Amino acid sequence: MFGSGRERALKKLRKDLRSGLYSYLVLSLLRRHEEMHGYAIRKKLSELSGGRLVPSEGTLYDLLKSLERYGLVEGVWAEVSGRPRKYYRITRLGMEVLEELEAEVGLINETLRALGGETYGWD
Protein backbone atom coordinates (compact mmCIF):
# COMPACT_ATOMS: atom_id res chain seq x y z
CA MET A 1 0.00 0.00 0.00
CA PHE A 2 1.18 3.52 0.83
CA GLY A 3 4.21 3.77 3.12
CA SER A 4 5.69 1.23 5.41
CA GLY A 5 3.98 -0.13 8.48
CA ARG A 6 6.34 1.96 10.58
CA GLU A 7 5.41 5.18 8.78
CA ARG A 8 1.67 4.46 9.00
CA ALA A 9 1.90 3.60 12.70
CA LEU A 10 3.93 6.73 13.51
CA LYS A 11 1.54 8.95 11.57
CA LYS A 12 -1.50 7.51 13.39
CA LEU A 13 0.06 7.56 16.85
CA ARG A 14 1.42 11.10 16.45
CA LYS A 15 -2.01 12.28 15.33
CA ASP A 16 -3.67 10.62 18.34
CA LEU A 17 -1.11 12.01 20.77
CA ARG A 18 -1.23 15.53 19.40
CA SER A 19 -5.01 15.86 19.11
CA GLY A 20 -5.56 15.97 22.87
CA LEU A 21 -2.37 17.89 23.44
CA TYR A 22 -3.46 20.66 21.07
CA SER A 23 -6.69 21.16 23.05
CA TYR A 24 -4.72 21.45 26.27
CA LEU A 25 -2.22 23.87 24.73
CA VAL A 26 -4.91 26.10 23.20
CA LEU A 27 -6.82 26.32 26.48
CA SER A 28 -3.56 27.10 28.30
CA LEU A 29 -2.67 29.84 25.82
CA LEU A 30 -6.11 31.41 26.08
CA ARG A 31 -5.92 31.42 29.86
CA ARG A 32 -2.56 33.17 29.71
CA HIS A 33 -3.32 35.63 26.89
CA GLU A 34 -7.07 36.09 27.54
CA GLU A 35 -8.01 36.58 23.89
CA MET A 36 -6.33 35.40 20.68
CA HIS A 37 -7.27 34.81 17.06
CA GLY A 38 -6.38 31.59 15.28
CA TYR A 39 -3.28 32.88 13.51
CA ALA A 40 -1.86 34.22 16.79
CA ILE A 41 -2.47 30.84 18.44
CA ARG A 42 -0.58 29.03 15.65
CA LYS A 43 2.24 31.56 15.78
CA LYS A 44 2.61 31.23 19.56
CA LEU A 45 2.62 27.42 19.37
CA SER A 46 5.30 27.65 16.71
CA GLU A 47 7.39 29.96 18.90
CA LEU A 48 7.01 27.76 21.97
CA SER A 49 7.88 24.54 20.13
CA GLY A 50 10.54 25.84 17.79
CA GLY A 51 8.17 25.15 14.90
CA ARG A 52 7.89 21.45 15.73
CA LEU A 53 4.42 21.35 17.27
CA VAL A 54 2.10 23.43 15.13
CA PRO A 55 -1.32 22.22 14.00
CA SER A 56 -2.36 22.87 10.42
CA GLU A 57 -4.82 25.71 9.96
CA GLY A 58 -7.61 23.23 9.27
CA THR A 59 -6.80 21.22 12.38
CA LEU A 60 -6.65 24.33 14.55
CA TYR A 61 -9.94 25.79 13.34
CA ASP A 62 -11.69 22.42 13.68
CA LEU A 63 -10.32 22.22 17.21
CA LEU A 64 -11.52 25.74 18.05
CA LYS A 65 -15.00 24.89 16.72
CA SER A 66 -15.04 21.76 18.85
CA LEU A 67 -13.95 23.68 21.96
CA GLU A 68 -16.74 26.18 21.23
CA ARG A 69 -19.33 23.40 20.92
CA TYR A 70 -18.30 22.08 24.34
CA GLY A 71 -18.55 25.58 25.78
CA LEU A 72 -14.85 25.70 26.68
CA VAL A 73 -14.09 28.74 24.55
CA GLU A 74 -16.18 31.47 23.01
CA GLY A 75 -15.55 33.31 19.80
CA VAL A 76 -16.02 37.06 19.51
CA TRP A 77 -15.94 38.88 16.19
CA ALA A 78 -14.04 42.15 15.90
CA GLU A 79 -13.10 44.33 12.97
CA VAL A 80 -9.36 44.79 12.59
CA SER A 81 -8.02 47.01 9.80
CA GLY A 82 -11.39 46.83 8.08
CA ARG A 83 -11.50 43.01 8.19
CA PRO A 84 -13.58 40.83 10.48
CA ARG A 85 -11.50 38.62 12.72
CA LYS A 86 -12.66 36.06 15.25
CA TYR A 87 -11.00 36.16 18.65
CA TYR A 88 -11.29 33.31 21.10
CA ARG A 89 -11.35 33.40 24.89
CA ILE A 90 -11.58 30.68 27.48
CA THR A 91 -14.87 30.37 29.37
CA ARG A 92 -15.39 29.63 33.05
CA LEU A 93 -16.17 26.02 32.11
CA GLY A 94 -12.99 25.97 30.01
CA MET A 95 -11.00 27.09 33.05
CA GLU A 96 -12.51 24.31 35.16
CA VAL A 97 -11.77 21.69 32.50
CA LEU A 98 -8.24 23.03 32.06
CA GLU A 99 -7.59 22.63 35.78
CA GLU A 100 -8.64 18.97 35.54
CA LEU A 101 -6.47 18.50 32.46
CA GLU A 102 -3.50 20.01 34.29
CA ALA A 103 -3.83 17.33 36.94
CA GLU A 104 -3.89 14.69 34.20
CA VAL A 105 -0.81 16.19 32.52
CA GLY A 106 0.93 16.19 35.90
CA LEU A 107 0.21 12.48 36.26
CA ILE A 108 1.49 11.80 32.74
CA ASN A 109 4.63 13.81 33.49
CA GLU A 110 5.25 11.84 36.71
CA THR A 111 4.81 8.58 34.83
CA LEU A 112 7.22 9.64 32.10
CA ARG A 113 9.79 10.58 34.73
CA ALA A 114 9.37 7.21 36.42
CA LEU A 115 9.67 5.48 33.07
CA GLY A 116 13.05 7.00 32.38
CA GLY A 117 12.91 10.73 32.75
CA GLU A 118 16.64 11.17 33.00
CA THR A 119 16.95 9.83 29.47
CA TYR A 120 14.65 12.56 28.18
CA GLY A 121 15.64 15.42 30.45
CA TRP A 122 12.43 15.33 32.50
CA ASP A 123 14.22 15.34 35.84
Side-chain angles (χ1 to χ4, degrees):
M1 279 236 137
F2 301 105
S4 70
R6 177 183 178 273
E7 291 168 354
R8 286 193 317 271
L10 276 171
K11 183 177 180 180
K12 163 87 170 85
L13 294 174
R14 280 186 179 132
K15 181 180 178 187
D16 290 349
L17 185 62
R18 289 180 180 201
S19 66
L21 182 61
Y22 286 147
S23 295
Y24 174 77
L25 293 173
V26 167
L27 290 172
S28 296
L29 282 174
L30 291 176
R31 177 179 58 192
R32 179 177 291 172
H33 296 282
E34 294 183 18
E35 211 174 70
M36 298 176 82
H37 54 81
Y39 177 77
I41 293 170
R42 282 190 83 232
K43 186 175 177 184
K44 192 65 174 174
L45 288 174
S46 181
E47 289 171 15
L48 292 170
S49 70
R52 297 179 308 241
L53 196 62
V54 184
S56 69
E57 285 183 34
T59 296
L60 178 61
Y61 287 105
D62 286 346
L63 170 73
L64 288 165
K65 286 178 195 173
S66 177
L67 293 173
E68 267 189 300
R69 275 194 308 275
Y70 283 109
L72 305 180
V73 303
E74 62 182 356
V76 178
W77 287 97
E79 192 170 312
V80 179
S81 301
R83 295 179 44 203
R85 181 168 272 180
K86 193 170 188 179
Y87 286 82
Y88 297 90
R89 65 181 98 164
I90 192 168
T91 63
R92 177 173 281 134
L93 176 61
M95 294 288 274
E96 293 171 9
V97 168
L98 180 57
E99 287 176 15
E100 294 287 331
L101 291 177
E102 286 175 329
E104 190 78 13
V105 168
L107 177 61
I108 291 167
N109 195 27
E110 287 175 25
T111 305
L112 289 172
R113 279 193 187 121
L115 186 60
E118 69 281 350
T119 303
Y120 304 104
W122 292 322
D123 297 349

